[in-house]
Amino acid sequence: MSIRNEITQKIEPVVVSKVTLPLQISTYYGENTFSEMTMQKMISEETYRAFKRWQEEGTIITKAQADEIALVMKEWSMSKGATSYTHWFQPMTGLTAEKHDAFISLGHDGNVIEKFTGSKLIQGEPDASSFPSGGIRATFEARGYTAWDPSSPAFITEVDSGKILCIPSIFISYTGDALDKKLPLLRSDAALSKACLELLRLFGYTDVKNVIPTCGPEQEYFLIDEAYYRMRPDLVLAGRTLIGAVSPKGQQLEDQYFGTIKERVLNYMHAVAEEAYRLGIPVTTRHNEVAPHQFEFAPIFERSNLAADHNQLLMDIMKKVAHRHGLVCLLHEKPFAGVNGSGKHLNWSVADDKGNNLLNPGDTPEENLLFLTVLSAVIHAVYHHSDLLRASVASAGNEHRLGANEAPPAIVSIYLGEQLTKIVNMIENGKMEKATRQDLVDLGVKLLPRFTRDTTDRNRTSPFAFTGAKFEFRALGSSMNISTAIAVVNTIVADSVGIITGRIKSGISSGSDFNATVMKVLSGIIKESRAILFEGNNYSEEWAKEAQKRGLPNVASSAEALKAFIKPKAVELFEKHGVFSRVELQSRYTVWLEMYEKVMEIEARTLAEMVNTQILPQAYEYQSDMAGGLEILKNLIDSGTLKLVDGAIDDRKEVLTKLSADIYYIRKNIKEMEKILNNAHSMDLEARAAYFFSDLKPHMEHVRRHVDALEDTMPDSIWLLPKYREMLFIS
Ligand code: ADP
Ligand code: MG
C-alpha cells in the first residue's frame, strides 16, 4: 500500500466531547470583548462622555482620561486572565499583525507590578520596518505607530497557555500616512457620512447626526482533513492545488449545496460559532456551498469598521478551530480547479444613526424618494468607478475566480431586479419628472413595498446586485480583507451623493418644486449611468461583447486592474474625500503589485519542485516499467512463446508514447518557467507582474494539464499526492 493509501485509511474525525445541554448564546455572547457597556460601568461619567465625543466627533480624550480607561481595561482583562496586551492592526498585506507586551513594569526595588497606562493604550510603536510600505517610508524613518481605534472594542484572544488583550488599532507612518487597511476605511466612512448628511438635510432630515455604512460579508471556505494538507506542498505553500486531476464526481449532481451537513463539519461549525460569539461576532448562517466540502458562514451585518475587524477575526478563528479538529480551513479563492472557488459576498448598505436603512424603500413617498436618490447614487458611482471596484478585488488568488464562469466576471455591472428596473426606467424616461405628490404615492405605495422582501428573482451571476435593501458586491475573494473594497464603495458613493446633492440644490435654487427637481436630477443620473445596468446572464459570451460595446472595462489581469488606483482620476477622487493621498495610493499599488508577483513566483517554484521531486521520479519509474514490459512481451512474441491479438503491442506502445509525451511536455514547460523566472529578475515590478500574467501563468497551466493526465493514467499505488476524490470526499 502507498503512504497515500495508508493515510486515507486512517482518516477519521477528532473525538469531540458531547455537550448535553449547550449554553444559550446570549449567556456568553461578547464575554471576551471590552464592550462599551462594560467600560461605561467602570469609568466616570465625564470620561465616558469624552470617549463618546472622541468616537463621534474625533476630539481626542485627555491623558488623564486615557489613563482611567487603560486602568479599567487592564483590570477587566486581568480578571479574564490576560497577562499581556497588543495593538492589533491590519497592515497593507491584509493580514492582521500583533506585537505583544506584558503588562509588567519594574518598581524601584526591582519588584514587578502589573501596569498599563493611557499612553500605552493610545499609541504603540511596533518595529515597522518589516511591514511593506510601498515606498512610504525611507529606512531612516522606518518607525510606524499604532493608534487605538476607539470605534472597535478591545477583545481577548486565548490559547491553551494564556490570554492576550487585543486593542484594535490603526497603523501609521512617522509622517502620518496610513500604512494599513483600517485608517482609509474609517476615513471613507466619514466621507460617506458627510455626503449623506448633506443630502438628508436637503430632504428635511435635520436631526440625523451620523450616517453609517453597514456590511455583512458572507465567508466561503473549504475544509479538508489535515493529513491530506500536510502531504501537499502546494496547499502548504500556496494555499491551493497547483496540480490535481478533477475527480469524476465533482459538483455535477448539485447534491452538496444546502445539503445535510456532515457531523464532523457540524462539530467544527459549532466550535467556530461559539468562539465567534465569545468575541461578539454575530455569525448566524452556516451551510454547505456548491462545491464538495465547501461551506459558508454569514454574519448579521454591522458597522463597516466592526464588520471588517470581525471578518478578520472570524477567518483567524476558522483556521485555528479547524486545526483543533484535525482539519484545515482553506480560504484561498481557488483551492481546487474544476469545482467552484470561494468568494466573499459583501453586503453593503447605509443607515442613519437611528438605524434607518437608506436603501430600504420606506412607507411614505418622501422616504421612497430618498431611497431612489441613494439608489441612483450607487448606480452612478458604480458606472463611473467600476475600474476601482475591480481594482479593489484584484489579487493573484481572486484572478482564478473572476471571469471563470462561477464567479462574477471581471466586468462590473449592476443588477436591480425586474420591479426596480421598471421604476428606474420610468424615472429615466421622465414619466416621473413632474411628479406630483400623487405620483409619488403611487410610486411608493403601489410599487416599492412589493419588492422590499422579494428575494425570488436573484441573479447569481451579477457582480453588484441589489438584493432587497442592500447591495451585494460579489467579486471579493474569500481570503481578502474587506476594508479596501468597502473604502472604495463608500468613497465612490459619497462622491455621487455629493454630485446629486449639488444638482438638486441648484435645481431648487432656481425655484423649482423639490420633488420634481429630484426626479429630474435622477432622470439625468440614470441616463448617464444606464450602461452599467444589466439584468442578464453575466457569464455569457454575449455579455462580454455587449459590455465592450457599452464601453465597460473588462480587465482579466490583476496587475492591470490595480493600475486604476494610480490614475489621475482616482487620485483626485480619493484626495477630494480624504480617503487616500496620492502617496498612499502609490504605496498600495506597489505593495499589492508586489504581493501579486511574489505569489506567482512562489507558486511557480513550488510547482517546479513538486514536479521535479514528486511527479517526474514516479513517472520515470512507470515509464521504465512500461518500456521493460514491452520489451519482455516483444521477446516472448519473437521467441514464439506468446501470440497476441493484432494491435495489442501497438496499444501498449500507445500508452507508453502518450506517457512519454506528457513527461516531455512537463519538462519542456518547466524549463520554460525557469527561463521566465530568470528573465524576470532584471525587470521592474510592473513589467514583471505583466510578464508573469502573460507568460508564466500559461506555462504553469500547461504543466498542470500534463501532470493531471499522468494522474489519470498512472498506477494509483505510486501516485504520491492526495487526490481530489480523497480530499473532497473522504473525511
Ligand atoms: P440574502 O438572502 O440576500 O443573502 P440575508 O438577509 O440572509 O439575505 O443577508 C445576507 C447578508 O447580508 C447577511 O450577512 C446580512 O447580515 C447582510 N445584510 C442584510 N441587510 C444588510 C444591510 N442593511 N446592510 C449590510 N448588510 C446587510
Ligand atoms: Mg451569498
Side-chain angles (χ1 to χ4, degrees):
M1 203 163 35
S2 69
I3 322 175
R4 204 187 92 239
N5 285 333
E6 262 177 60
I7 283 185
T8 308
Q9 300 303 322
K10 286 193 191 133
I11 297 280
E12 57 180 64
V14 168
V15 180
V16 180
S17 51
K18 187 172 165 65
V19 184
T20 332
L21 192 63
L23 282 178
Q24 290 306 307
I25 297 163
S26 60
T27 60
Y28 64 90
Y29 187 85
E31 68 175 22
N32 284 346
T33 59
F34 186 62
S35 70
E36 242 176 78
M37 238 182 2
T38 309
M39 178 165 82
Q40 191 179 6
K41 277 187 213 141
M42 297 175 81
I43 57 176
S44 68
E45 232 184 279
E46 169 66 28
T47 303
Y48 182 70
R49 269 203 305 273
F51 176 78
K52 290 305 285 179
R53 265 201 306 280
W54 183 18
Q55 272 189 344
E56 281 152 22
E57 294 155 33
T59 38
I60 193 162
I61 51 175
T62 65
K63 171 142 190 341
Q65 288 162 339
D67 280 336
E68 189 184 339
I69 296 177
L71 186 69
V72 296
M73 207 186 261
K74 183 195 75 180
E75 273 170 17
W76 172 81
S77 63
M78 279 170 57
S79 76
K80 296 262 170 198
T83 52
S84 52
Y85 70 95
T86 178
H87 277 212
W88 180 81
F89 58 101
Q90 299 165 32
M92 285 188 249
T93 52
L95 304 169
T96 55
E98 40 194 89
K99 173 196 163 212
H100 302 173
D101 280 299
F103 277 135
I104 56 168
S105 235
L106 283 184
H108 309 296
D109 44 3
N111 61 333
V112 162
I113 48 165
E114 259 78 24
K115 195 170 165 190
F116 184 49
T117 59
S119 54
K120 285 197 164 146
L121 164 63
I122 287 190
Q123 187 177 306
E125 191 181 345
D127 176 10
S129 53
S130 316
F131 291 104
S133 80
I136 280 188
R137 284 178 328 241
T139 32
F140 65 86
E141 52 181 38
R143 270 178 299 174
Y145 296 94
T146 50
W148 179 28
D149 164 20
S151 62
S152 181
F155 56 91
I156 289 180
T157 56
E158 48 191 323
V159 289
D160 288 344
S161 58
K163 298 186 183 188
I164 301 137
L165 170 69
C166 297
I167 302 160
S169 301
I170 57 167
F171 183 38
I172 46 177
S173 74
Y174 182 60
T175 46
D177 295 307
L179 288 172
D180 70 347
K181 289 261 179 184
K182 183 176 230 181
L183 181 54
L185 170 65
L186 293 172
R187 292 168 176 167
S188 76
D189 283 356
L192 183 64
S193 181
K194 187 168 163 236
C196 288
L197 280 177
E198 221 182 310
L199 180 75
L200 286 170
R201 300 259 141 77
L202 212 52
F203 274 76
Y205 298 92
T206 46
D207 54 339
V208 178
K209 285 210 191 68
N210 202 1
V211 171
I212 301 141
T214 53
C215 298
E218 301 168 43
Q219 179 69 53
E220 293 184 340
Y221 61 101
F222 279 87
L223 284 178
I224 63 166
D225 193 278
E226 196 158 21
Y228 297 132
Y229 175 82
R230 293 205 188 134
M231 289 182 70
R232 298 227 30 155
D234 48 2
L235 286 181
V236 173
L237 297 182
R240 73 178 182 104
T241 58
L242 299 167
I243 45 184
V246 171
S247 146
K249 180 175 189 276
Q251 61 193 45
Q252 310 92 320
L253 299 180
E254 300 181 0
D255 48 359
Q256 154 87 359
Y257 193 53
F258 280 30
T260 322
I261 304 174
K262 282 185 196 171
E263 208 169 301
R264 182 177 190 187
V265 174
L266 208 48
N267 279 331
Y268 164 79
M269 288 176 169
H270 277 301
V272 169
E274 193 180 309
E275 222 166 282
Y277 294 147
R278 286 190 201 291
L279 286 170
I281 304 171
V283 288
T284 49
T285 317
R286 41 194 188 224
H287 61 77
N288 284 355
E289 261 300 331
V290 173
H293 263 236
Q294 190 189 27
F295 310 94
E296 179 181 298
F297 272 118
I300 299 175
F301 67 93
E302 301 177 278
R303 263 191 301 129
S304 65
N305 174 30
L306 272 186
D309 280 4
H310 283 166
N311 184 249
Q312 287 301 118
L313 276 174
L314 180 66
M315 290 194 286
D316 276 352
I317 295 172
M318 287 166 70
K319 284 191 233 159
K320 276 190 221 160
V321 173
H323 185 59
R324 290 211 294 269
H325 286 240
L327 295 163
V328 173
C329 171
L330 300 173
L331 290 172
H332 193 282
E333 283 75 14
K334 192 74 181 175
F336 303 99
V339 295
N340 275 13
S342 301
K344 184 142 59 191
H345 293 177
L346 179 69
N347 293 273
W348 176 95
S349 189
V350 255
D352 68 17
D353 47 14
K354 294 174 193 66
N356 300 311
N357 181 352
L358 303 189
L359 281 173
N360 204 359
D363 298 328
T364 67
E366 284 74 18
E367 282 170 2
N368 280 331
L369 193 59
L370 178 63
F371 158 72
L372 290 172
T373 307
V374 178
L375 182 88
S376 305
V378 177
I379 296 172
H380 184 264
V382 175
Y383 171 67
H384 284 283
H385 304 290
S386 69
D387 59 336
L388 290 175
L389 289 170
R390 169 68 186 91
S392 76
V393 298
S395 75
N398 213 19
E399 201 169 83
H400 298 282
R401 271 179 80 237
L402 298 181
N405 276 10
E406 60 173 75
I411 311 162
V412 179
S413 69
I414 289 187
Y415 168 83
L416 291 177
E418 205 182 310
Q419 308 210 30
L420 204 44
T421 299
K422 262 192 215 150
I423 293 172
V424 163
N425 289 344
M426 268 160 54
I427 298 173
E428 183 190 4
N429 297 334
K431 290 229 176 80
M432 313 299 300
E433 256 185 37
K434 293 193 195 72
T436 60
R437 195 180 150 81
Q438 189 53 44
D439 289 332
L440 286 172
V441 170
D442 289 347
L443 178 69
V445 178
K446 284 200 192 133
L447 292 171
L448 293 179
R450 263 199 288 152
F451 69 76
T452 51
R453 294 292 154 223
D454 175 16
T455 49
T456 47
D457 61 340
R458 292 293 181 79
N459 181 340
R460 286 276 153 214
T461 68
S462 173
F464 211 96
F466 186 76
T467 50
K470 58 182 163 47
F471 275 95
E472 201 171 325
F473 183 20
R474 301 217 183 94
L476 280 76
S478 47
S479 70
M480 278 178 181
N481 182 312
I482 60 177
S483 306
T484 304
I486 305 174
V488 167
V489 176
N490 286 350
T491 310
I492 64 177
V493 174
D495 198 61
S496 294
V497 166
I499 289 171
I500 293 177
T501 307
R503 290 189 196 170
I504 297 175
K505 273 188 183 162
S506 68
I508 47 177
S509 72
S510 62
S512 307
D513 168 72
F514 180 74
N515 290 346
T517 305
V518 174
M519 282 303 184
K520 196 167 169 187
V521 169
L522 299 190
S523 165
I525 289 285
I526 290 164
K527 271 203 185 87
E528 178 184 334
S529 326
R530 148 128 332 258
I532 202 73
L533 299 177
F534 180 62
E535 298 289 298
N537 177 7
N538 282 262
Y539 298 170
S540 69
E541 272 174 40
E542 296 82 68
W543 170 231
K545 284 187 206 133
E546 165 72 19
Q548 194 179 13
K549 264 197 238 148
R550 293 190 191 185
L552 299 177
N554 180 5
V555 186
S557 141
S558 304
E560 206 45 46
L562 284 170
K563 286 186 182 151
F565 281 125
I566 50 167
K567 285 187 191 146
K569 159 185 161 262
V571 174
E572 195 189 323
L573 172 81
F574 286 118
E575 288 202 327
K576 175 177 159 199
H577 293 279
V579 175
F580 291 113
S581 67
R582 173 187 304 274
V583 173
E584 288 169 342
L585 283 167
Q586 183 64 47
S587 76
R588 271 148 191 83
Y589 173 67
T590 308
V591 170
W592 296 337
L593 202 57
E594 263 171 20
M595 276 169 64
Y596 173 82
E597 161 266 321
K598 284 177 185 162
V599 166
M600 297 278 257
E601 176 156 359
I602 290 169
E603 288 190 349
R605 294 198 185 279
T606 306
L607 176 63
E609 190 199 307
M610 287 172 78
V611 164
N612 289 333
T613 63
Q614 295 183 302
I615 305 298
L616 288 176
Q618 303 300 90
Y620 292 146
E621 191 181 311
Y622 181 49
Q623 188 183 34
S624 66
D625 278 359
M626 287 292 289
L630 186 63
E631 189 68 33
I632 293 168
L633 276 183
K634 272 207 213 137
N635 288 341
L636 288 173
I637 292 166
D638 289 349
S639 66
T641 322
L642 190 69
K643 196 167 158 36
L644 293 183
V645 292
D646 287 350
I649 285 291
D650 282 344
D651 181 58
R652 254 327 232 301
K653 281 186 188 159
E654 196 183 307
V655 176
L656 184 57
T657 308
K658 172 80 175 58
L659 173 74
S660 307
D662 282 326
I663 292 174
Y664 171 77
Y665 286 116
I666 290 170
R667 285 280 308 142
K668 183 170 179 313
N669 282 289
I670 289 281
K671 282 186 282 190
E672 285 296 324
M673 281 168 50
E674 273 154 17
K675 246 189 250 162
I676 293 168
L677 290 173
N678 279 337
N679 294 344
H681 275 293
S682 54
M683 293 180 174
D684 70 20
L685 180 59
E686 264 182 11
R688 190 158 60 237
Y691 184 43
F692 283 174
F693 179 78
S694 63
D695 289 56
L696 187 60
K697 237 179 147 175
H699 281 100
M700 290 176 67
E701 288 302 321
H702 289 314
V703 171
R704 174 169 203 146
R705 218 178 45 245
H706 293 289
V707 171
D708 292 355
L710 292 185
E711 183 181 328
D712 276 338
T713 47
M714 275 175 50
D716 196 57
S717 56
I718 62 166
W719 195 260
L720 299 177
L721 298 168
K723 298 184 171 184
Y724 278 21
R725 64 171 152 81
E726 293 155 349
M727 292 187 282
L728 294 175
F729 291 94
I730 303 174
S731 60

